[in-house]
Structure formats: structure tokens, C-alpha cells
Amino acid sequence: MASLTVTDEQVRATPAKVIQPAWVRVMHWINAFAMILMILSGWQIYNASPLFGFTFPRDYTLGGWLGGGLLWHFAAMWLLMVNGLAYLVTGFATGRFRKKLFPITPSGVLHDVRAALTFKLGHDDLTVYNYVQRLLYAGIIVVGVLIVLTGLGMWKPVQLHWLVMLFGDYPTARYIHFFCMAAICAFLVIHVLLALLVPKSLRAMIIGR
Amino acid sequence: MAKRSFLIPGVDKRLLIKDSIKTMPDVTRRRFIAGSASLGALTLLTGCDVVDSSSAEEMLKSVSKFNDAVQAFIFNPDALAPTFPESAITKPFPFNAYYDLDDAPDVSAADWKLEVRGLVDNKKSWTLDELHKLPQVTQITRHICVEGWSAIGSWTGTPLRDFLKLIGADTRAKYVWFQCADKDGYNSPLDMRSALHPQTQMTFKYANEILPRAYGFPVKIRVPTKLGFKNPKYVVSMEVTNDYKGGYWEDQGYNSFSGS
């Protein structure tokens, strides 16, 4: 019996390991909120002049009309950019990116993709990202940077002309901006699905443990 | 060439008409936040009702004003819009308005005069012949629409800053406010620094031909450092003023500075 009883002292002596520090959790959820605002208002803007032969259903757009969508987009962009910049700075400064996302080796990725597809990829230790996670998380950061840069270029194609030139020209920046959105949406679907399949990872992103 | 071809679908004639209908001002759109089903979707997704319609609208208006200030701050009066060779011109250059081409203002040159008002020394009105005698320059620049599409065109006319000097405008004033012949009284304010930008032009010609009705005969103000809706067509008067007098689209929620 005694061995099954846990004293207060013992609990305090062995605190559960913090998987996601507070700054990661706060910035993650701010980003999620800002990103959803950006996507829904972006769909509204897309619908005013579609790049392809389809539009987004009105129910999944924000703002009611083009003008409203633009207001949301150019408001939420500040939240997305300030939060994203703070995340990048903190991620590099604390060494989190280096520790958690690197190295990404081709053999490691191949191995883990195969394991994932045969449902043999374990999540026993949530503090260590497997190679599929590393690739996706590092990749989505790159896409995030790209979508912000193309967006800024399209917002100020004269003042930030050099930024537009980096991507070719204004219409090309517009296409890249769209494909980055598509990549983020694809990521979002997989990310949410996997978080629901491994609920303890979702818990870690909410309460840290 | 390939680049031009993917511009065309965005400015397809039928699409444009559809867009025009969509962008018709109506009462429901003026309240751009209220009653939209998308808010329900947002509430569902975020799990909290963050967007009570009137407070959201106030918040968005404040951020838009903040964005005006940010854009004025980063506006470089010497930064030129990129120019292009003639081969890059988009053909046909799209007609775009909140009405069909058949409903576009049909201005008679004989009856038309450009009125000049406000903080200027010489308030004389200008006939088209008088304006056509002014020194002119040509620019081939990209017109970028608030809707996202863009098209490259060739515009010829007098730099607006030269005309402002000619009429003795007080260039310390905050705005040049344009009134147009469009139905519903289109108008738009242009901040003075943008009005004095070297590429801002009082345009009389498109592709070296007298401005056709579709592109704003008799006078268009071409501002390559602004979105298309801040490039007024069918201009009938300009007023140099310190008052913010609003504009057709600006009043409905498009960001007022809308600089490029």
C-alpha cells in the first residue's frame, strides 16, 4: 500500500516535464487565431478576382464583401506579423529551433515517413519531434515567411519594389501568395487531424504538459 | 507573353460585369460586418464570440486609420513605380467600374470644362483644348486594382504637380479632391504628397490616342502609386483643400490611403 501512496512532497519533487513552454503555447494560439482570420478574409479578397476557375463559398469568407475582407486582412496582418516575428526571434534566441527542428536528414525523414504510413510511428516522448514533424514544422515556418513577404510586396508594390522583384513581378507574387495559403491549409488539416489522433500533444499545447 | 495570358482570365469581360454587379453599393454592404454568416463560422472555429459586429467595425476602422498613417510614413516621394516596355502593355486593357460600359459617363468635350477650386491662386476653368496644349509625358506603368488583378497600360498627359504649380495651388494643403462625372457622383481625395509625386499625371491619352470613354474621357488622374480606385476617371473638378472630404469607395470602407 505504502508504495502506491504518493505524498505531496513526492509530487513536488517530480513535476511533470514541461513539453511546450508558455511562450510557445501563447504564440501558437495567437498565430492560429490570426491565421484563420487571414485565410477567411483572404478568401473574400480572392473571390473579387479569382485566379482560377473557382471561388470560395461565401459562408467561409470574412468581411461580407471585398472592402470588409480587406479591412480584416490588413488588421489581422499586424497580429500575424508581430506574433510571427516574436516567435522567430524567440525560437532562434532560445535555441528551440536548433534543438527541436534540427537536424533534418533525408534518411531520417524517409524512415519516419515509412513508419508513419504503416502506423508504426510512436509518440512516446513528446519532447522529441520525429523527422516528419521536424520537416513539416520547419517547412511551414518557411511558407509562413514566404506568405508574409509576398503579401507585403503586394501591399506595397512600389515602396517595396525590391521585394516584388524577388518573386518576379506583381502577378507572380500573387500566385505564390495563393499557393502558400494552400500549403498552410493543407498543413492545417494534417496538423489538426494528427493532434486529435494524439490528444496528449494537444493537451501539451494547451497546459504545457 | 505567358505572363500576360494569365492576366486575362482575371479581367475577363464577363467576370468584370459579374464583379461590377457584386461591387454595386447597397445598403447591406455598407454595414460590411453585420449579419454575415461568415461570422458564425469564425465563432465556431475560435470557440468564442470575439466579433460582436459594431465593436468589430469600430476596431477595423481604427486599424484602417492606423494603416493610413503607416502608409503615409513609408511613402517615399522619390520612389518611382516600375515602368515597362511597350511590348508589356496588356491588350485589351480592361474597362472596370461599378457600372457597365454602356452606362459610363459620355462627356461632350464642347460642354466640358475642368473646374478648379479651393486653395489656388487662379480658379479659372480649363477647356480640353487648353489642357491639351500643356507639355505632356508618357508613362507605361502597372495599374493594380483593389480586387487584386493588375494590367499594364500607357498613359500620356501633364504631370499633376506641374498643373498644380501652374494654377498656383497651395501645395502645403493636405488634399486634392477630385469630383467625377460618374453616376452617383464618384469622387476621391488624393493626399498632397502623392499628388506631387513625379509620376502622378493628369491623363489625356491612352496608348497615344485621345482617352476613350472606357478609360475616362476627357481627363483621368493616373496615380501609379495608388490602387486603381484612387485613379479617378471622367474628372470634372479638382479642389485643393485641407479638409478630408471622403470618397465614393473610401466612405464604404476601402482604405483611404491605398498606396502602392
Side-chain angles (χ1 to χ4, degrees):
Chain A
M1 277 308 273
S3 66
L4 287 177
T5 321
V6 183
T7 65
D8 282 357
E9 220 165 75
Q10 279 171 313
V11 171
R12 247 177 279 124
T14 54
K17 208 169 164 188
V18 172
I19 300 164
Q20 306 291 7
W23 69 268
V24 169
R25 284 177 277 143
V26 169
M27 289 181 189
H28 170 270
W29 291 111
I30 291 177
N31 181 67
F33 176 65
M35 198 66 93
I36 285 164
L37 290 181
M38 290 305 273
I39 291 170
L40 296 183
S41 57
W43 289 357
Q44 179 77 256
I45 298 166
Y46 169 95
N47 282 357
S49 177
L51 288 170
F52 304 100
F54 70 91
T55 56
F56 294 96
R58 240 187 94 84
D59 283 356
Y60 295 99
T61 62
L62 189 60
W65 71 296
L66 173 62
L70 287 164
L71 287 177
W72 276 108
H73 210 67
F74 293 142
M77 73 172 184
W78 293 114
L79 190 61
L80 186 83
M81 287 197 298
V82 170
N83 185 65
L85 201 62
Y87 174 74
L88 286 181
V89 169
T90 324
F92 280 115
T94 59
R96 181 182 164 89
F97 290 161
R98 186 168 38 78
K99 278 180 276 183
K100 305 268 282 186
L101 301 181
F102 291 101
I104 303 174
T105 60
S107 60
V109 172
L110 271 176
H111 174 269
D112 283 357
V113 166
R114 206 172 298 137
L117 292 177
T118 50
F119 298 101
K120 282 177 193 151
L121 194 57
H123 287 282
D124 301 329
D125 185 359
L126 286 182
T127 58
V128 178
Y129 288 153
N130 63 54
Y131 282 94
V132 177
Q133 283 178 301
R134 289 181 196 189
L135 185 70
L136 285 179
Y137 295 156
I140 207 65
I141 292 173
V142 173
V143 172
V145 169
L146 215 54
I147 203 167
V148 167
L149 291 183
T150 47
L152 279 176
M154 285 157 64
W155 188 46
K156 291 284 151 275
V158 175
Q159 307 305 327
L160 303 179
H161 180 223
W162 55 273
L163 197 52
V164 180
M165 289 297 283
L166 210 63
F167 299 107
D169 57 10
Y170 175 88
T172 312
R174 206 174 153 222
Y175 276 92
I176 297 174
H177 197 68
F178 178 90
F179 289 124
C180 287
M181 177 280 295
I184 289 170
C185 289
F187 173 86
L188 201 62
V189 170
I190 298 169
H191 186 59
V192 170
L193 206 68
L194 292 180
L196 293 177
L197 283 174
V198 189
K200 62 182 177 178
S201 69
L202 182 59
R203 192 191 62 192
M205 193 47 89
I206 298 169
I207 62 167
R209 288 185 270 266
Chain B
M1 284 298 161
K3 268 172 200 157
R4 209 185 310 152
S5 68
F6 66 59
L7 271 176
I8 304 301
V11 294
D12 170 78
K13 202 180 164 192
R14 243 171 302 157
L15 255 177
L16 277 174
I17 292 168
K18 227 174 69 195
D19 283 344
S20 309
I21 293 165
K22 231 172 18 203
T23 50
M24 285 287 220
D26 65 42
V27 187
T28 49
R29 270 207 299 95
R30 276 165 203 266
R31 299 263 317 149
F32 48 83
I33 309 303
S36 103
S38 51
L39 287 180
L42 182 70
T43 307
L44 269 176
L45 283 165
T46 57
C48 55
D49 197 0
V50 282
V51 277
D52 158 59
S53 70
S54 66
S55 60
E57 199 166 323
E58 284 313 308
M59 181 275 291
L60 291 176
K61 272 186 195 158
S62 319
V63 179
S64 196
K65 284 218 178 79
F66 169 73
N67 284 341
D68 283 339
V70 171
Q71 293 176 90
F73 177 74
I74 62 175
F75 176 78
N76 175 357
D78 301 319
L80 297 181
T83 53
F84 298 86
E86 269 186 43
S87 59
I89 293 173
T90 307
K91 289 171 187 163
F93 191 87
F95 162 78
N96 190 51
Y98 53 92
Y99 41 71
D100 202 41
L101 181 54
D102 293 336
D103 296 325
D106 199 359
V107 177
S108 143
D111 306 331
W112 180 89
K113 270 188 177 184
L114 178 73
E115 263 185 64
V116 176
R117 293 198 302 266
L119 304 168
V120 293
D121 293 336
N122 189 349
K123 293 196 174 76
K124 139 193 158 53
S125 294
W126 292 69
T127 66
L128 196 52
D129 281 342
E130 287 169 331
L131 290 174
H132 282 175
K133 286 188 187 112
L134 297 171
Q136 297 178 30
V137 287
T138 296
Q139 61 166 280
I140 300 174
T141 48
R142 186 186 293 281
H143 169 109
I144 297 175
C145 181
V146 66
E147 295 174 337
W149 59 266
S150 70
I152 295 170
S154 161
W155 291 274
T156 301
T158 301
L160 183 63
R161 64 177 181 181
D162 293 351
F163 185 74
L164 289 173
K165 197 188 271 179
L166 197 64
I167 60 175
D170 179 359
T171 51
R172 292 164 307 173
K174 286 185 184 152
Y175 304 99
V176 183
W177 189 64
F178 297 99
Q179 185 70 50
C180 306
D182 307 56
K183 60 176 185 178
D184 309 320
Y186 196 94
N187 46 35
S188 188
L190 185 63
D191 58 282
M192 186 56 82
R193 290 168 75 220
S194 298
L196 295 175
H197 185 273
Q199 288 171 310
T200 300
Q201 186 191 79
M202 241 176 133
T203 301
F204 311 127
K205 285 179 178 170
Y206 180 81
N208 298 317
E209 305 281 340
I210 292 296
L211 207 59
R213 182 179 169 197
Y215 304 152
F217 181 84
V219 170
K220 171 197 173 78
I221 305 297
R222 171 71 190 132
V223 195
T225 54
K226 294 280 189 195
L227 290 179
F229 80 93
K230 292 198 73 88
N231 287 231
K233 298 176 282 190
Y234 319 105
V235 174
V236 292
S237 75
M238 69 167 79
E239 180 174 346
V240 177
T241 174
N242 277 311
D243 302 326
Y244 180 74
K245 301 198 170 211
Y248 181 84
W249 286 115
E250 290 86 342
D251 293 351
Q252 295 181 59
Y254 283 174
N255 173 265
S256 185
F257 195 89
S258 284
S260 292

